[in-house]
Amino acid sequence: MTDRTNPELVIVLDFGAQYAQLIARKVRQCNVYCELLPHDTPLDELAKRQPWGVILSGGPDSVYAPGAPVPPRELFELGIPILGICYGMQLMCHLLGGSVTRGIKREYGKADLEVLSDADLFRGLPQTMTCWMSHGDSVATLPDGFHALGKTANTAHAAVADTDRRFYGVQFHPEVTHTPRGLEVLRNFLYGACECSGSWTVASIVDSAVAAIRQQVGESRVLCGLSGGVDSAATAALVHRAVGEQLVCLFVDHGFLREGEPEEVQRTFAAHFGVNLVTIDASERFLARLVGITDPEQKRLRIGEEFIRVFEEEAGRLGDFPFLAQGTLYSDVVESGPHNAAQIKRHHNVGGLPERMNFSLVEPLRGLFKDEARAVAGELGIPDEITWRHPFPGPGLAVRVIGEVTREKLDILRQADTIMLEEIKRAGLYREIFQALTVLPDVRSVGVMGDERTYGYPIVVRCVTSEDVMTADWARLPHDLLECLSTRIVNEVPAVNRVLYDLTSKPPGTIEWE
Ligand code: XMP
């Protein structure tokens, strides 16, 4: 039984669902803190965290398949409310004595759910509602104590409950937008069965992060690497709020930043936080490491190594720092888990600092998704230019200049990039677009300007939309905006005589070119 003096927490057990992360995000949207854990998390570890409720996710398996994932059986004896979704519901019914039939009536896509009981999960919801189904197996007979809460034309047990034990199951997916009232179903589970009050708000996240940092750090000094992006900025602001002068921020300018970026980062931090900021202009030494290097992975490797070297040198010079603060997000934690996809590129950021540097890590955003980190940044008064800045790779423009990186090419790319961003912002599309970038390929082509032959570089404009970074689509920009980009870049950047727009989604492309 959960001790309800502990903060509200709901655990999603992941059975391999495509939508497991989405469930966690939706629970958090209901202002209830939620964590995703593997399905085989040991019972004592689950119990120790004192969850107010547990959600069993869907998954690709059939409950009768050999090796099908199961939760610890005693989970059902802890007295904690449980919601099973799709496979999670089938599993719960199967483990508690019901039966599941295999793929007789498959159901994929939208279905009309007839609500049989307007209490519990469906409190305040209509008698019939659209829901999204994606299953081959179905629950045939219910375990003792269960009854149906809803059905569809093909599924007699589309929603079920044992209200005494506070066990619920839905065959449909309440977490997807194709179930328009799905969030309310989840909210009914969280606020009704689990008795949560929705106390997890941005203000409460900031308060508890600040308290946790104070407790972790005590009187010691903390070093924080700033990149100019929202995650490291919010991290620094939290640490600063917690321990003030004990924080020193280190901003390494590797020379591959966009126009005006180093100045902007320094200005923002001086103006808004009054933090101790040390800026290192290391552009010469980074550029020197890339002479003659054309292979993308070599570039990344060398920049990563040089970054560590500069960081180590400066940390040594600045004195004793037992703690290193960094802006690791929950998605980084989940993605670097055991089911992580094949490594496509060697990503470089401050998180790549080696363990032998002997820092203890302070990672106040480790439990947050990007949108939540942005909300924290807003709460902390970080200006919109940083909060809503598009993601920017650690190696910066060096992976957007294809082939050897030279000062001349960086300058060309910077000018084109500035124009592109100006026009995207002017068109009011900056927030809609996940990432907008320009690339300078290592080719030249012939053109004609003012009756004269030109032999110049093309600039590739790449704008993508994305929810999760893992997949992305090219943004459908208005033709007049494309025209304006092309005209301005060719007219204003002397070495450029062509502009291309990248029409590749991810996959098969990646967002960056290298
Ligand atoms: P790709 O190109 O793999 O990029 O589709 C996915 C996202 O990651 C960013 N990116 C990086 N971020 N260090 C980072 O911190 C890196 O080395 C790095 N490389 C790519 C990229 O801009 C996109 O948002």
Side-chain angles (χ1 to χ4, degrees):
M1 197 68 176
T2 296
D3 172 3
R4 286 175 183 270
T5 57
N6 282 299
E8 293 173 10
L9 163 70
V10 165
I11 286 177
V12 176
L13 284 185
D14 181 3
F15 290 90
Q18 198 184 346
Y19 299 125
Q21 272 211 37
L22 194 56
I23 302 171
R25 289 173 56 84
K26 294 288 173 173
V27 171
R28 288 169 173 218
Q29 268 180 32
C30 299
N31 298 114
V32 175
Y33 183 59
C34 178
E35 283 187 19
L36 190 62
L37 293 180
H39 66 84
D40 53 0
T41 303
L43 188 75
D44 54 345
E45 198 171 309
L46 280 178
K48 203 166 64 196
R49 301 175 88 107
Q50 298 277 316
W52 288 44
V54 171
I55 297 178
L56 311 176
S57 85
D61 291 271
S62 169
V63 292
Y64 297 118
V70 286
R73 252 167 210 274
E74 301 81 359
L75 175 66
F76 299 98
E77 285 149 31
L78 295 178
I80 298 173
I82 297 177
L83 170 66
I85 296 178
C86 196
Y87 174 78
M89 161 175 158
Q90 295 161 11
L91 197 56
M92 177 162 65
C93 290
H94 169 61
L95 294 174
L96 295 176
S99 68
V100 174
T101 47
R102 297 206 66 169
I104 297 169
K105 287 185 173 170
R106 291 165 187 273
E107 226 178 354
Y108 292 97
K110 282 187 185 164
D112 286 328
L113 178 80
E114 189 187 330
V115 173
L116 303 173
S117 158
D118 60 3
D120 300 310
L121 293 185
F122 300 105
R123 191 179 303 277
L125 292 172
Q127 286 271 286
T128 317
M129 48 183 258
T130 304
C131 65
W132 183 262
M133 291 285 197
S134 176
H135 65 112
D137 296 0
S138 304
V139 171
T141 52
L142 295 176
D144 285 347
F146 275 76
H147 61 279
L149 294 180
K151 63 178 185 179
T152 65
N154 280 334
T155 307
H157 300 130
V160 301
D162 174 341
T163 35
D164 287 346
R165 288 190 282 179
R166 294 183 298 171
F167 292 160
Y168 298 86
V170 286
Q171 185 54 70
F172 61 91
H173 288 272
E175 71 277 20
V176 303
T177 47
H178 308 295
T179 303
R181 310 296 293 262
L183 194 64
E184 288 156 86
V185 174
L186 285 176
R187 190 176 284 130
N188 279 335
F189 172 68
L190 300 168
Y191 286 32
C194 305
E195 299 176 67
C196 292
S197 64
S199 57
W200 194 68
T201 59
V202 185
S204 77
I205 298 171
V206 169
D207 288 346
S208 51
V210 166
I213 295 167
R214 281 197 189 123
Q215 173 156 29
Q216 183 187 3
V217 166
E219 304 289 309
S220 304
R221 296 208 296 165
V222 187
L223 192 62
C224 179
L226 283 188
S227 70
V230 62
D231 308 335
S232 62
T235 301
L238 279 172
V239 177
H240 186 252
R241 186 172 280 196
V243 297
E245 294 286 297
Q246 288 160 243
L247 169 72
V248 174
C249 290
L250 192 54
F251 176 55
V252 178
D253 177 1
H254 53 22
F256 308 132
L257 296 171
R258 289 162 292 194
E259 192 65 49
E261 211 164 2
E263 296 78 13
E264 194 190 327
V265 171
Q266 292 174 68
R267 205 174 39 241
T268 305
F269 273 80
H272 291 271
F273 304 107
V275 298
N276 299 314
L277 176 63
V278 178
T279 304
I280 314 294
D281 179 357
S283 48
E284 292 290 342
R285 55 191 282 183
F286 274 91
L287 205 54
R289 288 295 310 272
L290 295 191
V291 172
I293 303 298
T294 54
D295 176 63
E297 286 305 276
Q298 271 299 316
K299 282 188 194 173
R300 286 175 170 273
L301 192 67
R302 284 171 177 246
I303 293 170
E305 278 172 3
E306 198 58 24
F307 192 87
I308 290 166
R309 229 167 265 166
V310 173
F311 208 90
E312 270 176 340
E313 283 172 25
E314 283 309 311
R317 203 178 56 77
L318 290 166
D320 184 29
F321 282 92
F323 291 99
L324 177 74
Q326 55 183 29
T328 313
L329 294 183
Y330 193 51
S331 42
D332 305 330
V333 177
V334 174
E335 273 160 27
S336 56
H339 310 298
N340 191 17
Q343 188 169 14
I344 312 291
K345 303 177 186 179
R346 183 190 306 275
H347 275 219
H348 146 258
N349 55 22
V350 184
L353 289 173
E355 281 173 21
R356 69 184 161 80
M357 282 188 77
N358 262 340
F359 287 117
S360 299
L361 295 179
V362 178
E363 298 180 312
L365 308 181
R366 208 180 155 79
L368 305 186
F369 290 108
K370 187 84 172 181
D371 51 346
E372 296 161 349
R374 282 186 162 141
V376 165
E379 178 79 14
L380 291 165
I382 291 173
D384 277 5
E385 307 92 84
I386 290 197
T387 301
W388 290 99
R389 175 173 292 184
H390 288 174
F392 188 65
L397 300 182
V399 289
R400 295 180 180 171
V401 169
I402 311 306
E404 186 179 4
V405 181
T406 62
R407 209 178 286 280
E408 181 216 1
K409 286 187 171 180
L410 285 168
D411 282 344
I412 295 171
L413 186 57
R414 262 192 208 107
Q415 290 176 58
D417 188 76
T418 305
I419 295 170
M420 183 273 298
L421 286 175
E422 245 173 55
E423 291 303 330
I424 298 281
K425 285 178 186 166
R426 201 198 308 275
L429 293 175
Y430 186 80
R431 282 217 197 170
E432 226 169 274
I433 293 170
F434 177 79
Q435 211 167 341
L437 54 110
T438 46
V439 178
L440 179 64
D442 192 23
V443 290
R444 283 194 284 170
S445 69
V446 173
V448 54
M449 279 176 90
D451 296 333
E452 283 196 18
R453 177 186 190 269
T454 58
Y455 188 51
Y457 290 106
I459 281 288
V460 178
V461 175
R462 177 147 176 77
C463 295
V464 296
T465 53
S466 173
E467 295 261 316
D468 57 5
V469 195
M470 306 295 288
T471 57
D473 196 8
W474 56 277
R476 273 51 173 178
L477 297 188
H479 284 181
D480 50 354
L481 173 60
L482 290 170
E483 183 185 354
C484 168
L485 287 176
S486 165
T487 310
R488 275 202 65 195
I489 292 173
V490 169
N491 283 342
E492 295 174 38
V493 187
V496 174
N497 65 355
R498 253 172 227 277
V499 173
L500 316 176
Y501 188 59
D502 187 342
L503 305 179
T504 322
S505 56
K506 172 185 178 175
T510 52
I511 295 176
E512 304 288 345
W513 269 40
E514 287 194 335

